[in-house]
Amino acid sequence: MARFEPAALPELLPVFYRRLFPHGAYGRWLGYGGAAKNYFQLREFSFTLRDDVYVRFQSFGSPQELERELQKMNPYKIDIGAVYSHRPSQHNTVHLGAFQPVEKELVFDIDMTDYDDVRTCCSSAEICSKCWTLMTIAVRVIDRALVEDLGMKHRLWVYSGRRGVHCWVCDDAVRKWSPALRAAAVEYLTLVKGGAETVKKVNLSEPIHPFIRRSVNVVEKYFEEYALVGQDILGSPERWDKVLALVPEEHREQLQGDFPKKRDSVQRWELLKGRMERTRRAASTGKSAPCYADWEIMLQYCFPRLDINVSKGVGHLLKSPFSVHPKTGRISVPLDLQRLDQFDPFAVPTISSLCHELDAAGDDGEQEDGGETEPKRRVRDYKRTSLAPYVRVFEQFLEEMERARRGERLQRSDLQGDF
């Protein structure tokens, strides 16, 4: 893969926006099948330009106008905001208080830095293959709950390009949710609570909610390989003392005495887990209170950490899919949930590698029939690079959403025909 040099961005971005950015699919997404004539025109975009120049409240009359502006301005980063009551580009001309966000996807932003208190391999903006499992778990837990618990259908999961993942919930009804409804959804999906000074951030009690049981089932599939082997959370007295601080005092002393006799984190975990399971079996016969310390530990170390402010604010902006991350050069690409466990952030194409692939492919495709229109030529360009599979994931998401929309329209027309 061609090495990315941030200094090369001004030279590479014009090629990216002209030949690689999937403008057609992008316009289809944010236009939502022509849901309203001015829907796209009321959408806010913001651009981060060279030297951190930040331009908010951009709006465009059509996807084609946005495309031309992207190719003209070559932003280092694109953020997407809400659909407003008036065109965002004209917000200064609107009567004070009249300019309001009226609709937006429900979004989630999960950032690896929020796990710094529980990962031992990296910190801050750094990631590695070991801790990336936390993002896999987050997607699995949240996506299952969105579909099975909250009844949502159209979710676009996207790699941020550096150290996290984003989710865009695009259902028609959800896009109209109030901040209060959005906050309620995030609250439902939140289990890890408390800041850096809070030692025990997950507290479970009877009766255990089905959401918690199902989340534990997801985490358990990854816990041994991630936490016990990869992070080795019980590998030394210093590390296991941190874990045992989450265990009730009546069980802690015995475990502290037994842990040194065990060979590794896996054996120590089996000891702790077995003790907690015995308390739950005894509780079922009424002999004692159940203890869920093993579940609480798994959730504190692995459960998704959500930023409620990102999700509840209708006016909040979020980085666009297919943006280039200016520090890593990686493209913010959609995630294929069918192959989520195989996703490797370090294998995501960079703007440098994509431009190198275009150079290596030469102009053979364009020479095949030079009479094609520019849009068709551009489609062929990204299809000749490693960006193509990610665009296909995006297109499959769009096709599913458009198919559902057609089905709903057909159903409505059938119902109207019955009267």
Side-chain angles (χ1 to χ4, degrees):
M1 185 178 282
R3 181 179 172 80
F4 170 69
E5 297 291 348
L9 261 182
E11 179 187 343
L12 299 175
L13 283 168
V15 179
F16 179 73
Y17 287 119
R18 182 171 58 87
R19 300 182 64 184
L20 293 164
F21 193 90
H23 291 285
Y26 194 78
R28 277 168 58 201
W29 172 39
L30 293 175
Y32 286 101
K37 190 176 180 182
N38 59 354
Y39 193 92
F40 192 90
Q41 299 169 4
L42 297 172
R43 172 77 69 169
E44 180 192 0
F45 295 87
S46 84
F47 296 158
T48 303
L49 308 178
R50 193 173 182 175
D51 300 322
D52 286 331
V53 174
Y54 187 56
V55 188
R56 270 202 77 170
F57 299 115
Q58 302 292 291
S59 61
F60 306 95
S62 67
Q64 293 74 28
E65 188 183 324
L66 169 63
E67 176 181 347
R68 288 192 293 271
E69 197 67 13
L70 288 173
Q71 293 177 11
K72 175 185 166 187
M73 298 186 74
N74 297 305
Y76 277 44
K77 180 170 165 251
I78 310 164
D79 287 299
I80 300 173
V83 173
Y84 278 82
S85 53
H86 301 76
R87 285 196 181 194
S89 58
Q90 299 171 353
H91 73 284
N92 285 327
T93 67
V94 177
H95 187 272
L96 187 67
F99 180 70
Q100 295 291 333
V102 295
E103 189 171 319
K104 182 170 169 277
E105 296 80 4
L106 173 64
V107 297
F108 299 95
D109 181 1
I110 307 173
D111 193 317
M112 192 72 85
T113 55
D114 293 328
Y115 295 81
D116 277 359
D117 62 316
V118 291
R119 57 180 181 146
T120 60
C121 51
C122 303
S123 63
S124 190
E126 298 172 353
I127 62 167
C128 69
S129 57
K130 287 181 180 179
C131 58
W132 186 255
T133 304
L134 287 168
M135 294 297 107
T136 304
I137 295 169
V139 175
R140 292 285 186 216
V141 168
I142 299 299
D143 195 68
R144 185 215 62 77
L146 291 176
V147 176
E148 296 178 16
D149 300 358
L150 301 178
M152 298 174 187
K153 294 177 181 175
H154 306 299
R155 303 96 50 220
L156 177 67
W157 285 94
V158 182
Y159 167 53
S160 72
R162 192 179 192 186
R163 60 175 186 258
V165 294
H166 303 152
C167 179
W168 301 76
V169 181
C170 302
D171 297 40
D172 289 352
V174 176
R175 297 201 309 271
K176 297 176 175 65
W177 275 13
S178 66
L181 272 175
R182 294 165 193 263
V186 182
E187 182 62 31
Y188 176 82
L189 297 167
T190 299
L191 288 179
V192 180
K193 299 180 180 180
E197 71 290 341
T198 307
V199 174
K200 194 166 185 286
K201 297 185 169 83
V202 178
N203 294 277
L204 303 182
S205 60
E206 293 276 13
I208 301 293
H209 193 280
F211 167 65
I212 295 172
R213 290 185 183 276
R214 291 174 190 139
S215 298
V216 168
N217 288 340
V218 174
V219 171
E220 264 186 324
K221 294 172 185 173
Y222 298 92
F223 188 75
E224 180 174 331
E225 186 63 31
Y226 163 71
L228 304 179
V229 177
Q231 302 292 320
D232 199 19
I233 65 169
L234 299 174
S236 66
E238 182 185 5
R239 288 186 182 178
W240 73 55
D241 281 347
K242 187 178 173 185
V243 173
L244 289 175
L246 309 177
V247 175
E249 204 170 325
E250 64 263 30
H251 303 291
R252 194 182 307 153
E253 189 176 336
Q254 181 71 51
L255 290 168
Q256 279 174 327
D258 290 341
F259 270 12
K261 303 170 189 173
K262 299 299 179 181
R263 188 175 68 243
D264 54 23
S265 284
V266 175
Q267 287 193 356
R268 291 177 190 120
W269 179 254
E270 287 304 316
L271 188 70
L272 186 155
K273 182 181 172 185
R275 190 176 183 91
M276 298 308 114
E277 287 175 344
R278 283 195 295 277
T279 72
R280 295 197 284 272
R281 283 196 296 271
S284 67
T285 63
K287 293 179 180 176
S288 63
C291 184
Y292 290 93
D294 51 337
W295 290 18
E296 291 169 339
I297 292 163
M298 284 194 288
L299 295 170
Q300 180 153 330
Y301 274 77
C302 300
F303 192 83
R305 300 180 176 207
L306 304 176
D307 184 336
I308 188 169
N309 293 318
V310 170
S311 301
K312 78 174 183 181
V314 182
H316 199 284
L317 294 119
L318 186 63
K319 184 182 182 185
S320 169
F322 299 104
S323 267
V324 179
H325 196 289
K327 288 193 167 62
T328 64
R330 294 190 202 114
I331 312 302
S332 182
V333 293
L335 298 173
D336 181 355
L337 297 192
Q338 302 300 316
R339 305 186 72 251
L340 182 64
D341 288 4
Q342 287 77 52
F343 178 78
D344 178 2
F346 301 105
V348 168
T350 65
I351 188 171
S352 305
S353 68
L354 292 171
C355 291
H356 181 74
E357 288 170 32
L358 281 180
D359 289 342
D363 292 330
D364 296 344
E366 290 190 31
Q367 290 169 1
E368 284 170 11
D369 65 312
E372 277 195 6
T373 61
E374 176 62 25
K376 287 186 179 176
R377 209 157 44 237
R378 181 175 50 252
V379 166
R380 188 172 57 244
D381 278 345
Y382 74 68
K383 285 188 175 178
R384 294 155 70 201
T385 72
S386 54
L387 190 62
Y390 300 102
V391 178
R392 184 61 194 139
V393 171
F394 188 50
E395 288 173 338
Q396 287 168 344
F397 160 76
L398 290 175
E399 288 160 9
E400 190 176 313
M401 194 161 59
E402 289 164 352
R403 192 161 49 245
R405 190 177 294 117
R406 284 194 300 271
E408 287 164 9
R409 277 202 301 265
L410 193 63
Q411 191 175 32
R412 279 199 299 271
S413 65
D414 286 349
L415 286 170
Q416 287 167 358
D418 289 340
F419 291 98

